[in-house]
Amino acid sequence: MFDLTQYSHRRLNLLTGEWVLVSPHRMKRPWQGKVEDLPADNRPAYDQHCYLCPGNQRADGSVNPNYTKPFTFVNDFSALLADGPEGDYEEAGLLVARAENGICKVICFSPRHDLTLPEMEVGEIAAVVDLWQREFVELASHPGIRYIQIFENKGEIMGCSNPHPHGQIWASTSVPVELVKESVQQKKYFQQYGSSLLSAYLELELKKQVRVVLENEHFAALVPFWAVWPYEILLVSKRHVQYITQFTEAERLALATILKQLTTLYDNLFHVSFPYSAGMHQAPVNNGDSPEWHWHMHFYPPLLRSATVKKFMVGYEMLANPQRDITPEAAAEKLRAQSLVHYKQKTLTNA
Ligand code: H2U
Ligand code: ZN
């Protein structure tokens, strides 16, 4: 068989039907980038200027309650509005547009300004999962909503505006493009085999143990065969479910555990609070049955070689095809080699 560790090749993304170019021989290239440690980021537990901290005023003038558990509110600058008009726009079949409405929420993971997911207790993360479940039920109860995107944008490098641990939820009246691609691919497989594409893929990965980074009774985190970002992760539930709301208490805890472990490995890789865009993909809502859909999460971190050297998706990637040098297998090995104890915790223990 073709040697995936030596020569350039393209890999197929099962979930989107798109291809990624892998150039393993380029890993031998001399590297002259900077590899340095960043100054420690010492945030206070409470910041009077933070619009997400308990008791503080937000940009729209409303005041956050003195929350002690995960807290959610409607985004004061929502990209989608609940009460916008409906309608289509069309000119000569060339200019086409459609009204898009929805609901955008912000979700504070913790009242503590200085924490991030890997530094929170498993029980505290489980409370976030619980709130995601409750928000999902509430947003899906609006009959016009067709898709609910739960995500976290972390780190300045990703355009995150505030270090207070938080994520967002955007619920929209149409199904967004990434989800349409994944629906098509999963449906194709389901129609052919009568089972979940991701169950089959996960079974293969668990057997091979080359790209798997973490595993527990209910979830596995792996660098997918077709990963585009250097340390991209696909987190899959072992049970084939369509929605986060189907997770049991045991699964909620297992998800919280693997989230803590994964974000710890990430932080330990370059001794930095690891930036990423992460989010859940699940079946559309108020849209009939979607038995082909298998709940999962994607983590897309931009860092490549150090706390400051990121991968740029430019040039060939923008114009032709995503490309990577470090193989997904090598990335998985690097992540697996990290300690499950957070580096900040270690510094504390050794001091
Ligand atoms: P980031 O995760 O991209 O930093 O987004 C934080 C969100 O918080 C952002 O979408 C919202 C912004 O609109 N926000 C409020 O809703 N109220 C505020 O007072 C400031 C920021
Ligand atoms: Zn804060």
Side-chain angles (χ1 to χ4, degrees):
M1 269 226 278
F2 183 83
D3 185 354
L4 296 170
T5 63
Q6 297 289 333
Y7 307 105
S8 23
H9 57 276
R10 300 210 297 165
R11 295 189 184 191
L12 175 66
N13 182 330
L14 286 181
L15 278 171
T16 61
E18 294 169 349
W19 294 83
V20 52
L21 176 64
V22 186
S23 317
H25 57 285
R26 295 226 308 175
M27 280 168 74
K28 299 182 194 112
R29 226 162 19 131
W31 175 253
Q32 298 187 317
K34 305 175 281 181
V35 180
E36 87 282 12
D37 261 334
L38 294 179
D41 140 53
N42 290 315
R43 296 203 302 276
Y46 166 79
D47 176 350
Q48 59 173 354
H49 301 295
C50 169
Y51 56 77
L52 297 180
C53 273
N56 288 3
Q57 195 175 51
R58 296 205 307 271
D60 74 327
S62 48
V63 175
N64 296 326
N66 277 312
Y67 65 95
T68 54
K69 292 198 194 111
F71 161 64
T72 172
F73 59 91
V74 174
N75 196 314
D76 302 316
F77 307 96
S78 296
L80 297 162
L81 299 173
D83 46 14
E86 290 186 11
D88 290 327
Y89 178 97
E90 194 269 349
E91 249 186 271
L94 296 171
L95 311 180
V96 181
R98 195 160 297 158
E100 184 69 30
N101 297 314
I103 302 165
C104 296
K105 307 209 59 178
V106 177
I107 159 165
C108 301
F109 296 156
S110 162
R112 288 267 304 268
H113 185 79
D114 57 334
L115 296 183
T116 56
L117 284 179
E119 297 162 286
M120 286 165 61
E121 303 290 339
V122 168
E124 293 168 337
I125 302 173
V128 175
V129 179
D130 184 74
L131 185 54
W132 280 332
Q133 288 180 315
R134 282 183 283 128
E135 280 298 306
F136 194 89
V137 172
E138 201 286 314
L139 291 165
S141 75
H142 298 253
I145 295 299
R146 302 268 303 284
Y147 189 70
I148 299 165
Q149 181 59 58
I150 299 176
F151 65 100
E152 179 190 6
N153 223 8
K154 180 172 168 241
E156 253 173 87
I157 203 172
M158 297 305 288
C160 178
S161 61
N162 187 326
H164 193 113
H166 71 282
Q168 298 193 44
I169 307 177
W170 292 21
S172 56
T173 50
S174 70
V175 182
V177 285
E178 288 303 311
L179 285 302
V180 171
K181 288 184 221 164
E182 295 195 358
S183 280
V184 168
Q185 290 294 107
Q186 290 181 101
K187 204 175 254 172
K188 236 195 290 180
Y189 188 93
F190 195 81
Q191 279 168 352
Q192 191 171 353
Y193 300 100
S195 58
S196 146
L197 166 68
L198 281 184
S199 291
Y201 175 61
L202 186 59
E203 194 185 320
L204 176 76
E205 289 291 12
L206 291 176
K207 209 180 294 161
K208 290 186 79 85
Q209 290 292 332
V210 180
R211 284 167 292 267
V212 177
V213 172
L214 290 164
E215 183 191 351
N216 63 31
E217 200 187 336
H218 301 290
F219 294 89
L222 52 96
V223 181
F225 182 72
W226 53 82
V228 165
W229 293 95
Y231 294 97
E232 180 174 331
I233 285 282
L234 178 69
L235 199 170
V236 192
S237 61
K238 291 193 176 171
R239 204 155 61 86
H240 172 204
V241 298
Q242 283 71 49
Y243 302 111
I244 187 177
T245 46
Q246 292 168 272
F247 289 146
T248 61
E249 178 63 29
E251 285 170 318
R252 188 158 58 219
L253 266 183
L255 177 56
T257 306
I258 205 163
L259 283 173
K260 181 177 170 74
Q261 292 177 331
L262 174 62
T263 50
T264 301
L265 297 184
Y266 269 164
D267 280 12
N268 286 346
L269 191 60
F270 298 131
H271 281 204
V272 71
S273 182
F274 208 66
Y276 56 72
S277 269
M280 272 165 227
H281 278 167
Q282 37 198 336
V285 295
N286 303 314
N287 197 37
D289 283 347
S290 315
E292 71 280 6
W293 257 95
H294 191 137
W295 180 98
H296 60 273
M297 277 185 87
H298 295 283
F299 284 78
Y300 300 132
L303 296 185
L304 176 63
R305 281 172 200 269
S306 76
T308 53
V309 180
K310 76 180 277 264
K311 173 181 174 63
F312 287 97
M313 283 284 190
V314 295
Y316 191 78
E317 273 111 353
M318 273 185 133
L319 291 154
N321 205 138
Q323 182 270 347
R324 65 180 294 137
D325 296 345
I326 172 178
T327 61
E329 297 72 36
E333 200 178 318
K334 277 225 170 91
L335 283 171
R336 271 198 306 267
Q338 304 306 315
S339 164
L340 283 169
V341 180
H342 196 271
Y343 72 92
K344 280 195 196 165
Q345 195 66 40
K346 261 197 183 146
T347 324
L348 282 178
T349 342
N350 294 344

